[in-house]
Amino acid sequence: MRVTRPLALPLLALSACAAGEKDIPVAVRIANATPAVTVTARGETAPVGTANADAADDPAIWRNAADPAASLIVGTDKKAGLYVYGLDGKVRDFLDAGRVNNVDLKDGVNFGGATGIIVAASDRNDVAHAKVALFRLDPASAKLTALGTVDGGKGEAYGICLGRDDTGLSAFVVLKDGTINQLLLDTSAAVPTARIVRTMKLGTQSEGCAVDDRTHILYVAEEDVGLWRFDARVSGSITPTQIAAVDRKNLVDDAEGVAIAPIGEKDGYVLVSSQGDNAYVVYRLTDDSYVGRFRIVDGPVGGAEETDGIELMLGDFGPTYPHGLFVAQDGHNAAAAQNFKLVAWDDIAKALGLPE
């Protein structure tokens, strides 16, 4: 959730402020945080259609293995619906889906005997009862087709991520109060169905999540508390383990979007948006250790601030993003409506001194 912050406050007020960190100017919060390296985006999407509002929120990436430069990005305008962008940032499609907050996708999903790309979005058109809106993405036309909605449980839908194991395809719906419902999806018929197979719980408002299908671990950001992991398997424990706390040094509230960079069989990184100081934090998957922090600053295109959703996929995305693509929502985007910034994984890895 984007939080509007004052641009300046007297220093005396900063020391005495009982309301806490969120009343402190961003410049002060950055100064107090652990230093971050900087990168610049190599591209950006067109702004979402909702102007003068906190509207763009969360991206998902589909990689075209046959023609990597023709890969696609799906992004939410949480006031209006779903966009599909090319890597050039141009809009390829828009579907009026109403108030869809977060989005994820999976390729190779069965649709009545044929395989394709399924897109799932957290639908909060009814704030009292969560839904998961499901769509088919046609990679040739870049068009979305609505498949229907399934029940996500009582409460306001916020985050969503997809995970796959030998029991099938699951959608993890993160409700605003920190409840996480795991839905087992059946997309084999023309109209998808789902059932809630288990429920997990964090104590306060949560949103961003991602699933590592190699290790079957679910990662969830609790905005004012920290980053957690759960067993993502239907038969797994529902007890969370904390990876990192919001300490206002490495991770500054709100902790928002979550993304994974899988390397090899178990290694890689989990990234989380440190929204409170316009940064992104990287932790190692194998031991939860802190790796580093980075920011997206002005360059060929503008930087990114107050980021909600993020996504990362390693692999070839063509000459501009040869080893991976990181996409981050930009909460300001100068005078235009909010959009998404595109960063090469090579630039992030180099800035942090990570092995190529």
Side-chain angles (χ1 to χ4, degrees):
M1 179 180 69
R2 182 182 173 214
V3 179
T4 302
R5 299 178 178 86
L7 295 178
L9 284 175
L11 291 179
L12 180 60
L14 294 181
S15 63
C17 182
E21 181 81 1
K22 290 178 182 174
D23 291 326
I24 301 175
V26 173
V28 175
R29 301 178 81 173
I30 291 174
N32 289 338
T34 305
V37 299
T38 60
V39 299
T40 57
R42 297 189 184 187
E44 64 180 335
T45 67
V48 297
T50 303
N52 303 314
D54 179 25
D57 196 282
D58 191 48
I61 301 169
W62 174 73
R63 192 178 82 87
N64 187 334
D67 184 5
S71 299
L72 300 170
I73 299 165
V74 180
T76 60
D77 178 336
K78 62 188 177 187
K79 310 292 186 182
L82 288 170
Y83 283 89
V84 181
Y85 304 97
L87 296 190
D88 59 3
K90 295 180 179 179
V91 175
R92 300 286 304 276
D93 190 30
F94 172 76
L95 186 65
D96 180 359
R99 299 177 71 234
V100 287
N101 198 57
N102 282 16
V103 65
D104 200 5
L105 61 81
K106 285 286 185 187
D107 202 349
V109 177
N110 176 42
F111 294 101
T115 59
I117 306 164
I118 190 169
V119 175
S122 53
D123 184 329
R124 58 175 180 164
N125 287 293
D126 179 354
V127 297
H129 207 105
K131 300 287 186 183
V132 177
L134 298 170
F135 310 85
R136 182 200 300 262
L137 174 61
D138 183 335
S141 66
K143 300 298 183 184
L144 288 165
T145 301
L147 299 174
T149 61
V150 295
D151 180 23
K154 187 177 292 186
E156 183 175 355
Y158 235 42
I160 193 166
C161 48
L162 298 175
R164 187 160 38 193
D165 61 19
D166 56 9
T167 64
L169 180 67
S170 288
F172 295 87
V173 184
V174 182
L175 305 182
K176 192 172 184 178
D177 69 354
T179 300
I180 304 152
N181 289 330
Q182 181 174 1
L183 281 61
L184 198 59
L185 299 174
D186 183 356
T187 60
S188 60
V191 178
T193 60
R195 58 190 177 92
I196 298 174
V197 291
R198 64 180 187 146
T199 296
M200 295 158 279
K201 187 71 173 75
L202 293 174
T204 61
Q205 184 166 309
S206 306
E207 183 175 2
C209 68
V211 179
D212 188 341
D213 283 342
R214 304 168 308 162
T215 57
H216 307 300
I217 294 175
L218 166 68
Y219 298 88
V220 184
E222 186 177 2
E223 295 187 359
D224 292 338
V225 178
L227 180 65
W228 300 84
R229 69 166 180 265
F230 291 88
D231 191 326
R233 294 169 295 186
V234 171
S235 60
S237 168
I238 62 171
T239 302
T241 299
Q242 191 172 62
I243 295 170
V246 168
D247 57 3
R248 297 171 181 171
K249 295 293 184 181
N250 292 344
L251 185 56
V252 181
D253 47 340
D254 293 345
E256 287 282 350
V258 179
I260 297 170
I263 299 172
E265 293 184 359
K266 294 183 178 180
D267 204 358
Y269 309 98
V270 57
L271 288 72
V272 59
S273 170
S274 178
Q275 188 187 69
D277 74 317
N278 305 329
Y280 313 90
V281 193
V282 183
Y283 301 94
R284 188 173 296 279
L285 291 175
T286 49
D287 60 7
D288 302 337
S289 61
Y290 168 80
V291 174
R293 293 160 38 86
F294 68 95
R295 293 193 179 94
I296 304 171
V297 298
D298 291 349
V301 299
E305 297 176 294
E306 292 194 355
T307 293
D308 280 322
I310 60 175
E311 183 59 293
L312 171 62
M313 184 175 287
L314 303 186
D316 180 12
F317 284 85
T320 306
Y321 310 98
H323 295 108
L325 173 65
F326 177 76
V327 181
Q329 181 258 8
D330 181 9
H332 286 288
N333 197 33
Q338 295 176 345
N339 72 345
F340 301 91
K341 298 299 192 282
L342 282 59
V343 182
W345 173 248
D346 304 61
D347 295 339
I348 297 169
K350 182 179 179 181
L352 290 171
L354 304 179
E356 298 181 1

